[in-house]
C-alpha cells in the first residue's frame, strides 16, 4: 500500500518540483516530547513534503500567472496549499490530513516539527548541537538545520500528508544521509546557520547538484511585503 501511495504522490508532485518521503508516525513521536506528538497510532503512514529548487519555476510562477487575482496571502504558502489540496483529490477513497509548515496550534506550538519529520523520513539530515562532541558555544542558543544530500540547504520543508486509515507496521526506516560528517564541518554549518544565515553560505556546506536561481534568491531575500511586486502582483493582494 505504501508503495502505491508513494508512486501516486511522486507522479503528482514530481512535475511541480516537490518531493514526498514516507515515514511512520511512531518514528516521529518516539524522539519527541508528548506535547509535540502527532495524534495518530504509531504505524500510521505519513509523508513529509519538500520543495526543491525547481519548484519556483515549475509550480510557483505558473500558479501566480493562473491565480493572479486570487492571491491574498503569501504566494508560496498559497501555491503549496493549492497543490497539496489537489493531491488529496487523487485519493478519493482515503482520508488525507494535510498540515503546513506555517500552521500553529492554539497553544502556539507548531502543528509539526518540520526538520524532525524530514530526518525520520530519511529525506534530510537534521544537524543539531548534540551532533557536535566538543561544543564551542557555551550558553549560546544554537538552532539545528537540515541538509539535503542533493540540494544542501537549497530546499524547504513545506508540509505533511497523513493517511490515518493506512497502517504500515512493516515499513523500514531509511537513515538520512550524513553528508556533513566531520566535527569541523558540523561546527562550521551550525555557526553559519545561526550567526550568518543571511548570506546563505550554510546552504553550500556540501557540493550541491542544484541551487536556487538568481531570481529565486532575490525573491526569498526580499522582505515578504515586497515580494508581490517581484511576481507582478498588485500590492493590494497582500
Amino acid at each position: 500500500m505504501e508503495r502505491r501511495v508513494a508512486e501516486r504522490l511522486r507522479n503528482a508532485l514530481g512535475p511541480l518540483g516537490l518531493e514526498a518521503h514516507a515515514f511512520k508516525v511512531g518514528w516521529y513521536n518516539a524522539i519527541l516530547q508528548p506535547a509535540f506528538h502527532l495524534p495518530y497510532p504509531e504505524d500510521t503512514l505519513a509523508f513529509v513534503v519538500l520543495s526543491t529548487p525547481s519548484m519556483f519555476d515549475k509550480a510557483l510562477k505558473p500558479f501566480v500567472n493562473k491565480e493572479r487575482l486570487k492571491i491574498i496571502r503569501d504566494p508560496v504558502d498559497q501555491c503549496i496549499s493549492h497543490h497539496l489540496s489537489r493531491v488529496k483529490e487523487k485519493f478519493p477513497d482515503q482520508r488525507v490530513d494535510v498540515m503546513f509548515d506555517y500552521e500553529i496550534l492554539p497553544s502556539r506550538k507548531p502543528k509539526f516539527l518540520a526538520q524532525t519529520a524530514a530526518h525520520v523520513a530519511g529525506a534530510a539530515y537534521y544537524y543539531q548541537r548534540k551532533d557536535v562532541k566538543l561544543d564551542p558555544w557555551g550558553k549560546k542558543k544554537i538552532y539545528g538545520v537540515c541538509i539535503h544530500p542533493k540540494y544542501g540547504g537549497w530546499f524547504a520543508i513545506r508540509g505533511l500528508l497523513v493517511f490515518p486509515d493506512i497502517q504500515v507496521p512493516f515499513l523500514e526506516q531509511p537513515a538520512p544521509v550524513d553528508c556533513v560528517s566531520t566535527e569541523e564541518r558540523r561546527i562550521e554549518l551550525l555557526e553559519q546557520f545561526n550567526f550568518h544565515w543571511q548570506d546563505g553560505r550554510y546552504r553550500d556546506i556540501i557540493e550541491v547538484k542544484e541551487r536556487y536561481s538568481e531570481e529565486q534568491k532575490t525573491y526569498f531575500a526580499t522582505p515578504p511585503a515586497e515580494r508581490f511586486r517581484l511576481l507582478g502582483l498588485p500590492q493590494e493582494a497582500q
Side-chain angles (χ1 to χ4, degrees):
M1 175 62 86
E2 177 271 331
R3 288 182 181 175
R4 287 205 303 271
V5 174
E7 184 175 2
R8 205 177 295 182
L9 288 176
R10 194 160 43 244
N11 292 337
L13 298 176
L16 300 169
L18 301 172
E19 293 181 353
H21 297 262
F23 68 96
K24 287 202 301 188
V25 165
W27 303 344
Y28 174 92
N29 287 349
I31 59 174
L32 292 172
Q33 298 172 354
F36 292 103
H37 284 186
L38 294 171
Y40 304 92
E42 66 174 25
D43 287 334
T44 303
L45 177 64
F47 290 82
V48 62
V49 178
L50 315 179
S51 62
T52 72
S54 65
M55 182 277 294
F56 193 80
D57 286 321
K58 290 180 176 178
L60 180 63
K61 294 204 303 195
F63 172 77
V64 168
N65 288 334
K66 185 179 178 185
E67 307 289 339
R68 183 173 299 276
L69 300 178
K70 298 178 186 175
I71 295 178
I72 57 174
R73 53 186 171 87
D74 182 271
V76 173
D77 289 348
Q78 204 163 331
C79 171
I80 299 296
S81 175
H82 168 79
H83 286 299
L84 293 192
S85 296
R86 292 191 65 184
V87 162
K88 287 179 66 172
E89 298 169 7
K90 297 186 181 298
F91 298 93
D93 300 325
Q94 296 289 347
R95 177 180 153 200
V96 186
D97 293 347
V98 183
M99 300 175 212
F100 299 101
D101 65 299
Y102 52 83
E103 290 185 298
I104 57 173
L105 298 165
S107 64
R108 308 301 294 170
K109 289 185 174 71
K111 276 198 172 180
F112 74 99
L113 299 182
Q115 300 200 101
T116 299
H119 186 91
V120 300
Y125 200 108
Y126 184 22
Y127 291 98
Q128 302 175 73
R129 188 173 194 158
K130 65 182 177 62
D131 295 310
V132 173
K133 294 185 179 69
L134 298 175
D135 187 323
W137 299 295
K139 294 183 178 180
K140 291 179 181 176
K141 177 75 173 175
I142 299 295
Y143 294 95
V145 60
C146 270
I147 295 296
H148 190 287
K150 182 177 179 181
Y151 306 116
W154 300 102
F155 78 104
I157 305 159
R158 299 296 182 183
L160 279 192
L161 299 170
V162 183
F163 292 78
D165 300 327
I166 301 179
Q167 303 297 300
V168 285
F170 303 111
L171 186 64
E172 294 187 10
Q173 184 172 8
V177 178
D178 181 6
C179 47
V180 187
S181 56
T182 69
E183 178 93 347
E184 293 76 17
R185 295 293 274 171
R186 290 178 180 182
I187 291 173
E188 181 183 352
L189 169 65
L190 293 174
E191 290 265 344
Q192 289 181 359
F193 179 70
N194 281 271
F195 308 123
H196 309 285
W197 62 268
Q198 295 97 329
D199 62 26
R201 281 182 296 150
Y202 79 90
R203 298 178 188 272
D204 286 311
I205 194 71
I206 63 169
E207 188 172 330
V208 300
K209 303 278 196 305
E210 190 180 347
R211 57 171 58 85
Y212 291 175
S213 64
E214 290 305 315
E215 179 185 17
Q216 190 171 178
K217 287 180 191 175
T218 299
Y219 178 82
F220 287 116
T222 300
E226 298 172 27
R227 292 175 183 173
F228 286 81
R229 176 178 49 80
L230 295 179
L231 293 174
L233 292 167
Q235 196 67 26
E236 57 269 21
Q238 184 181 355

